[in-house]
């Protein structure tokens, strides 16, 4: 796992705060989102200056299109596009990202049709492409990728990752704070790090921590597309949690003793067992996106062999092996339902992370 090559990477951060149409409320925090995320990407991913463009309240779709085109043409390593503002759904159920002059009655003529943005990013030559949406109903951006056409296979091959602030049927929350709820969590994760992650924070690490924190705060659950592909293994930031001392000495003059604060021991309870893996049953789908059944079964056989071995010894599989696993997409023939497999793989990944922590403490 590695951090992006900042000189060969590009980021475009779009924020819309003010709207002409009376039905669209101001999102003042969008400007703060963009400014803070730009600072974070410069600090953590090395994307600085004109290579990280902040576009707040763009004039129209043409200005956005020119900025997206420039970033897509010049990015070689990482291309990241972020949007913060209102998300609106048109008559076809497709997502549109609002601009200052957007009229709900004139979608998609006055907004950014997400399908335009996705196509431009998808066709970019960058090794890894990331879209982050902080808007109401942003999960709709993922649903067409899961359901229509052979999109998932293309995304997996080309290293694409989409992260959204909410499911397809849910609003996102701004609150009366400096940042919107979702972007505030994202900035906290990048600043504070993650206890269970390694030295670097992958896109998948960030997604799982965002989901955990959102659930704890009663916020909409973030969504992702591009599960278990190479893009998830690209790091977006160093893990600052690792910079914290695992042991702290405090000198108390009156008692001359040292108080030790130890890193908590890994859980002894398995997240998933070999028997569960042997007995798992996935829904079979046809004429819809699925995973090749033979490939998934073969991978799970490897998982069983890993889980029957002691957690305290050398590990046959790592969490990274699960995170970067790839399966052929099926549609015309029967395959396993994608979301079910991905959810189960997330549990396996968590178990292997737990085992790696156990083995590390005993080595």
């Amino acid at each position: 796992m590695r951090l992006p090559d900042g000189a060969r990477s590009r980021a475009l951060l779009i924020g819309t705060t003010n709207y002409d149409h009376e039905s669209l409320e101001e999102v003042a925090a969008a400007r703060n989102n963009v400014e803070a995320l730009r600072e974070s990407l410069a600090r953590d991913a090395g994307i600085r200056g004109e290579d990280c463009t902040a576009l707040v309240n763009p004039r129209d779709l043409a200005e956005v299109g020119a900025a997206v085109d420039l970033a897509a043409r010049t990015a070689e390593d990482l291309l990241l596009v972020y949007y913060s503002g209102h998300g609106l759904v048109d008559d076809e159920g497709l997502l549109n990202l609002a601009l200052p002059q957007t009229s709900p009655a004139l979608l998609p003529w006055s907004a950014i049709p997400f399908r335009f943005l996705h196509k431009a990013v998808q066709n970019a030559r960058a090794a890894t492409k990331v879209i982050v949406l902080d808007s109401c109903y942003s999960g709709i951006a993922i649903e067409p990728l899961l359901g229509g056409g052979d999109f998932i296979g293309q995304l997996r091959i080309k290293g694409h990752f989409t992260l959204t602030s909410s499911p397809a049927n849910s609003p996102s929350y701004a609150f009366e704070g400096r940042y919107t709820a979702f972007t505030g969590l994202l900035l906290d994760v990048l600043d504070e790090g993650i206890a269970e992650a390694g030295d670097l924070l992958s896109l998948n690490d960030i997604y799982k921590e965002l989901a955990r924190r959102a659930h704890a705060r009663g916020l909409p659950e973030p969504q992702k597309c591009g599960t278990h592909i190479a893009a998830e293994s690209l790091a977006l930031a160093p893990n600052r949690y690792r910079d914290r001392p695992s042991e702290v000495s405090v000198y108390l003059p009156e008692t001359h003793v040292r108080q030790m604060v130890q890193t908590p021991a890994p859980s002894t309870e398995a997240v998933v067992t070999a028997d569960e893996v042997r007995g798992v049953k996935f829904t079979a789908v046809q004429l819809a996106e699925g995973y090749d059944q033979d490939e998934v079964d073969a991978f799970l056989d490897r998982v069983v062999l890993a889980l029957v071995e002691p957690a305290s010894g050398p590990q046959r599989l790592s969490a990274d092996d699960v995170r970067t696993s790839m399966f052929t997409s099926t549609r015309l023939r029967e395959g396993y339902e994608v979301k079910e497999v991905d959810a189960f793989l997330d549990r396996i990944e968590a178990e292997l992370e737990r085992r790696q922590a156990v083995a590390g403490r005993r080595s």
Side-chain angles (χ1 to χ4, degrees):
M1 190 183 300
R2 63 177 179 82
L3 289 168
D5 181 342
R8 298 171 58 244
S9 298
R10 300 291 184 270
L12 173 61
L13 313 178
I14 305 168
T16 308
T17 65
N18 302 313
Y19 301 88
D20 297 337
H21 199 278
E22 60 184 10
S23 68
L24 299 177
E25 296 182 1
E26 179 184 12
V27 185
R31 181 185 297 275
N32 298 329
N33 289 349
V34 166
E35 292 174 352
L37 190 56
R38 191 182 193 194
E39 293 177 3
S40 179
L41 289 173
R43 177 195 66 203
D44 297 329
I47 309 177
R48 299 183 174 88
E50 62 183 13
D51 294 335
C52 187
T53 301
L55 198 59
V56 178
N57 292 326
R59 293 186 302 273
D60 51 31
L61 181 58
E63 183 179 6
V64 175
V68 172
D69 178 70
L70 178 61
R73 284 190 290 104
T74 56
E76 297 177 1
D77 189 20
L78 169 66
L79 170 61
L80 186 147
V81 179
Y82 166 91
Y83 172 84
S84 177
H86 284 297
L88 303 172
V89 183
D90 61 26
D91 292 340
E92 299 179 45
L94 300 178
L95 179 67
N96 295 267
L97 308 175
L99 297 172
Q101 75 281 9
T102 292
S103 168
L106 293 175
L107 296 176
W109 302 103
S110 60
I112 308 169
F114 176 75
R115 62 185 183 275
F116 287 8
L117 177 61
H118 172 261
K119 184 176 181 180
V121 172
Q122 177 70 16
N123 291 336
R125 62 174 179 169
T128 303
K129 305 138 192 177
V130 178
I131 297 176
V132 180
L133 302 180
D134 186 354
S135 70
C136 294
Y137 312 113
S138 54
I140 291 177
I142 286 177
E143 283 198 341
L145 305 182
L146 293 174
D150 187 23
F151 286 110
I152 284 294
Q154 296 173 36
L155 298 185
R156 187 170 297 107
I157 292 170
K158 295 186 178 181
H160 188 290
F161 188 93
T162 300
L163 176 64
T164 72
S165 60
S166 64
N169 60 349
S170 173
S172 293
Y173 297 138
F175 298 135
E176 296 297 328
R178 179 170 176 78
Y179 309 112
T180 59
F182 170 78
T183 297
L185 289 182
L186 174 59
L187 293 169
D188 286 345
V189 170
L190 296 176
D191 287 342
E192 299 168 6
I194 303 171
E196 297 80 9
D199 293 332
L200 300 175
L201 297 182
S202 72
L203 294 169
N204 197 51
D205 291 330
I206 293 168
Y207 161 73
K208 290 195 296 182
E209 183 65 11
L210 285 172
R212 186 189 69 79
R213 295 191 184 200
H215 177 75
R217 291 164 174 77
L219 298 172
E221 181 180 356
Q223 305 291 301
K224 67 172 178 175
C225 181
T227 305
H228 303 291
I229 61 174
E232 292 190 345
S233 295
L234 179 76
L236 202 57
N239 187 3
R240 287 188 169 74
Y241 193 91
R242 294 282 171 167
D243 295 335
R244 302 178 185 181
S246 59
E247 183 175 284
V248 180
S249 299
V250 181
Y251 180 72
L252 304 177
E254 295 180 0
T255 58
H256 300 280
V257 299
R258 299 170 74 235
Q259 292 184 345
M260 312 304 291
V261 180
Q262 300 289 344
T263 301
S267 171
T268 57
E269 183 176 348
V271 179
V272 65
T273 66
D275 286 341
E276 287 181 89
V277 177
R278 289 191 190 99
V280 67
K281 302 293 183 184
F282 300 115
T283 301
V285 296
Q286 194 169 6
L287 301 181
E289 197 67 40
Y291 283 146
D292 183 279
Q293 294 178 339
D294 291 339
E295 293 179 7
V296 173
D297 290 342
F299 185 76
L300 293 183
D301 287 341
R302 294 176 57 199
V303 171
V304 169
L305 292 176
L307 295 185
V308 296
E309 295 181 337
S312 58
Q315 300 299 298
R316 183 186 293 263
L317 280 179
S318 69
D320 279 343
D321 291 328
V322 180
R323 197 173 295 126
T324 59
S325 60
M326 297 170 59
F327 307 113
T328 302
S329 298
T330 63
R331 178 170 292 275
L332 297 180
R333 68 181 189 277
E334 197 173 74
Y336 288 141
E337 207 279 332
V338 168
K339 288 187 177 180
E340 289 184 10
V341 175
D342 286 343
F344 196 68
L345 290 175
D346 284 341
R347 292 181 60 202
I348 293 171
E349 182 182 330
E351 169 60 14
L352 293 176
E353 288 176 343
R354 184 192 72 83
R355 285 169 160 258
Q356 287 165 210
V358 170
R361 290 184 74 91
R362 297 185 180 181
S363 62

